[in-house]
Amino acid sequence: MRSVAADGGYLSGLGFESEKPAGLFRWLTTVDHKDIGVLYIAFAAGAALWGGTDAMMIRTELFTAGTDVWSPETYNALFTAHGFTMLFFFATPAFTGLANYFIPILIGADDMAFPRINAIAFWLLPPSLLLVRGGLVTEVLGKMLAAVGVRWELLFSLEPPTTGWTLYTPHSALLANPQVDLVLLGLHLSGLATVMAAINIIVTIFTERGENVTWSNLDIFSWTLLTTSGIILFAFPVLGSSLLMLVADRNFGTTFFAVDGGGPILWQHLFWFFGHPEVYILVLPAFGLVSLILPKFAGRKLFGFKFIVYSTLAIGVLSFGVWAHHMFSTGMDPRLRSSFMAVSLAIAIPSAVKTFNWMATLWGGNVRWAAPQIFCVGGIMTFIVGGVTGVFLASIPVDLVLHDTYYVVGHFHFIVMGVITFAAFAASYYWFPLLTGRMFNRRLGRIHGYLSIVGVFLAFLPMILIGYEGLPRRYASYPESFVPLQQVSSFGALIIGIGVLIWLTNMVQSYRLGPIVTDADVWNLRESGQFSREWQWFETQLEERTKFRR
């Protein structure tokens, strides 16, 4: 019997008895959904910092017009690794971690439906990340061994891939770099982990709900996770199959994506059948978090709850009918192209429903500008910009002009770095007292929020303008006339980076030394009748801790 917080949180000075083992053994062997949720969140945070470092290295190169800092090969490897890391190892695991920790609590279940599969799904992720980032890891290891007189050439043969995160063929099929094969296997492994987690979430919500939790009063975060998991079940197997076909093309002489076989365009169809729903796999949980957190600090219940649920389901269905709008410039049949344009424009309707409902929730409310609320409102702002610029890309004539320019990068990052990351930050502040039993520094949280909003607009709005002027993306050098806007963008990235450092400092220091929470109603939610299930559960935990306190 050890002195460990029973809910997985850290409570210095509040020791009580638990049957969980202590130390590293606990984290390596746990099947508790709360522990696994914490592991997911820690893994995602580490991956985000790694991928964020790539981004800063990219912006450093782009600060000047020439290739002054990194070689073109290194630059290509940087944006490739940045894309893989942020999409597969930050955003998806972050929301899966929150789902693991909070869904059982929100629906009144004891644990996830399959606790052991839950643990296996998480432990597939670290090796998959190492496989994907292996070129850099082996290079560092090789240089360390060489420094002590041991030179292993194999470690230097794995170079970071330069394929881009879309892995377009024939380039990815013909590259001799064996690291590309490890990347494909690593992505396949992470896909297996994601599918296992999705099945667990679906079964948990369907079969483990408490007697008083019906479909009509299921919380909005669980609704979005349920829809997201459904999308994953259809999208990720297609990606997994495509990756294995590419491995076979590279190593066993098959011709799935060769010119004399299925052709390079087949890869694009298969990849984007996964790739565009992937955007909604990432953004729907973020929408759920905004819908959950925003009303808490607006003093009003969520406006139009049913319409938000219906719009979530509509996005889930429509997400599989938009993939070819990434391929308007490939020469596909104009009639087919038009149908995909229509569906791509149609998906803006349920997205707009959510935005108007959030605005209606804020309208006339007693808004409190705590850190979670700043990130929610900032996320709505960036989503409006990202969404509107996306509508233009869905239009064939405009897309043909702006395809593969910085405009696409700016639009995409207003969504990914905007609403998706902002929602993750909002959740980190909103649930921090529940997760750790301590309170964070509220002033630092607000500073982080305002810096992030300014940083995102400074970083990505210039990209919209640069792309509008026609500058292609993925080039390490560019004409001198774009230097001012590129430097503003790099300055914005620096502000985002400073904000992340403030967040990290706040989280670590508050986890160690923040004021201990003794009242579960840390956000005064009882006043507006929104003291929801997870906070009621937290109140029970605090009462038990007080009871067993030594």
Side-chain angles (χ1 to χ4, degrees):
M1 303 288 275
R2 305 295 180 89
S3 174
V4 179
D7 68 342
Y10 172 81
L11 284 174
S12 176
L14 288 180
F16 52 91
E17 302 300 325
S18 168
E19 294 182 355
K20 288 184 178 180
L24 184 61
F25 187 69
R26 165 190 174 184
W27 296 103
L28 292 174
T29 60
T30 183
V31 293
D32 186 316
H33 72 97
K34 297 184 290 298
D35 288 350
I36 293 171
V38 171
L39 287 171
Y40 265 112
I41 293 167
F43 174 85
L49 293 174
W50 199 352
T53 304
D54 296 330
M56 295 309 297
M57 293 170 72
I58 293 169
R59 292 315 312 176
T60 303
E61 175 57 58
L62 294 174
F63 197 76
T64 57
T67 48
D68 304 320
V69 182
W70 314 111
S71 68
E73 291 75 20
T74 302
Y75 179 82
N76 290 345
L78 280 172
F79 70 69
T80 299
H82 172 69
F84 286 144
T85 306
M86 288 307 203
L87 291 174
F88 292 94
F89 300 106
F90 156 56
T92 307
F95 293 131
T96 306
L98 292 173
N100 263 286
Y101 200 105
F102 289 103
I103 280 183
I105 296 171
L106 289 168
I107 66 173
D110 295 329
D111 204 325
M112 299 295 284
F114 308 115
R116 288 176 177 78
I117 291 178
N118 203 22
I120 293 170
F122 169 76
W123 286 110
L124 289 179
L125 285 178
S128 63
L129 176 60
L130 288 178
L131 283 171
V132 171
R133 303 291 312 236
L136 177 63
V137 175
T138 53
E139 184 180 355
V140 171
L141 182 60
K143 289 181 177 178
M144 290 173 64
L145 291 174
V148 296
V150 179
R151 185 167 181 84
W152 193 2
E153 291 300 332
L154 177 63
L155 296 176
F156 293 98
S157 67
L158 300 175
E159 300 172 358
T162 56
T163 56
W165 79 277
T166 53
L167 289 162
Y168 275 177
T169 57
H171 182 57
S172 59
L174 299 176
L175 269 179
N177 180 7
Q179 174 59 30
V180 176
D181 295 307
L182 297 185
V183 168
L184 298 176
L185 295 174
L187 293 177
H188 189 70
L189 203 59
S190 76
L192 286 176
T194 305
V195 171
M196 291 164 74
I199 291 172
N200 217 348
I201 290 170
I202 292 172
V203 176
T204 301
I205 293 176
F206 267 91
T207 64
E208 301 294 323
R209 282 179 291 124
E211 293 181 358
N212 61 340
V213 181
T214 63
W215 291 114
S216 61
N217 66 8
L218 183 67
D219 66 280
I220 190 66
F221 183 56
S222 298
W223 267 113
T224 53
L225 260 300
L226 182 63
T227 309
T228 300
S229 300
I231 300 175
I232 287 172
L233 286 192
F234 290 96
F236 268 79
V238 175
L239 174 69
S241 305
S242 307
L243 293 171
L244 293 179
M245 290 157 71
L246 186 51
V247 169
D249 271 12
R250 286 178 54 81
N251 297 280
F252 304 112
T254 56
T255 57
F256 292 112
F257 306 116
V259 175
D260 53 352
I265 297 299
L266 174 61
W267 169 265
Q268 292 195 34
H269 277 295
L270 293 174
F271 180 83
W272 287 117
F273 185 83
F274 148 80
H276 204 87
E278 166 70 1
V279 175
Y280 297 101
I281 288 169
L282 301 179
V283 82
L284 282 180
F287 287 166
L289 288 170
V290 172
S291 299
L292 183 81
I293 298 172
L294 185 90
K296 304 290 198 300
F297 297 89
R300 300 179 62 194
K301 293 189 176 179
L302 182 64
F303 180 85
F305 176 87
K306 286 184 180 177
F307 290 99
I308 294 237
V309 172
Y310 295 150
S311 65
T312 301
L313 297 172
I315 289 173
V317 173
L318 290 174
S319 67
F320 287 99
V322 298
W323 83 85
H325 81 230
H326 293 270
M327 302 164 59
F328 284 162
S329 61
T330 59
M332 68 168 61
D333 188 312
R335 292 164 295 182
L336 191 63
R337 209 165 52 177
S338 300
S339 65
F340 277 102
M341 182 181 81
V343 181
S344 300
L345 292 173
I347 206 168
I349 297 172
S351 303
V353 167
K354 290 179 179 297
T355 307
F356 287 124
N357 280 33
W358 292 329
M359 295 168 71
T361 304
L362 290 171
W363 188 266
N366 179 25
V367 180
R368 292 177 290 154
W369 294 106
Q373 185 73 335
I374 293 169
F375 275 105
C376 284
V377 174
I380 295 171
M381 292 163 59
T382 58
F383 175 64
I384 290 173
V385 177
V388 170
T389 51
V391 169
F392 288 109
L393 284 177
S395 172
I396 296 170
V398 180
D399 181 80
L400 292 178
V401 176
L402 298 176
H403 179 74
D404 248 350
T405 67
Y406 268 86
Y407 183 96
V408 179
V409 183
H411 148 70
F412 183 64
H413 280 80
F414 265 109
I415 303 291
V416 177
M417 183 59 223
V419 64
I420 292 173
T421 308
F422 278 17
F425 279 133
S428 74
Y429 286 117
Y430 176 63
W431 280 323
F432 185 85
L434 188 153
L435 283 163
T436 66
R438 292 180 180 272
M439 195 62 197
F440 61 86
N441 185 309
R442 298 182 189 229
R443 177 177 294 178
L444 285 181
R446 288 194 293 272
I447 291 172
H448 173 213
Y450 293 128
L451 277 179
S452 298
I453 294 171
V454 172
V456 164
F457 276 91
L458 277 181
F460 303 118
L461 205 53
M463 291 187 186
I464 300 286
L465 301 175
I466 292 170
Y468 189 73
E469 293 294 325
L471 183 65
R473 58 176 174 169
R474 295 177 175 149
Y475 284 86
S477 60
Y478 54 87
E480 290 281 347
S481 59
F482 292 103
V483 168
L485 284 172
Q486 288 281 23
Q487 291 185 346
V488 171
S489 182
S490 295
F491 183 62
L494 179 64
I495 292 177
I496 295 171
I498 292 171
V500 171
L501 290 177
I502 291 173
W503 171 80
L504 188 62
T505 305
N506 196 2
M507 293 292 108
V508 173
Q509 281 299 94
S510 300
Y511 175 77
R512 293 177 59 242
L513 305 169
I516 293 175
V517 174
T518 55
D519 181 0
D521 193 14
V522 289
W523 299 118
N524 297 322
L525 301 179
R526 282 198 176 91
E527 285 183 5
S528 57
Q530 298 186 83
F531 193 66
S532 45
R533 292 189 188 97
E534 78 273 30
W535 295 106
Q536 295 169 20
W537 173 87
F538 184 46
E539 186 173 49
T540 306
Q541 297 298 308
L542 287 181
E543 290 172 356
E544 290 183 4
R545 289 170 189 173
T546 304
K547 180 179 176 183
F548 289 105
R549 189 175 181 179
R550 289 199 296 262

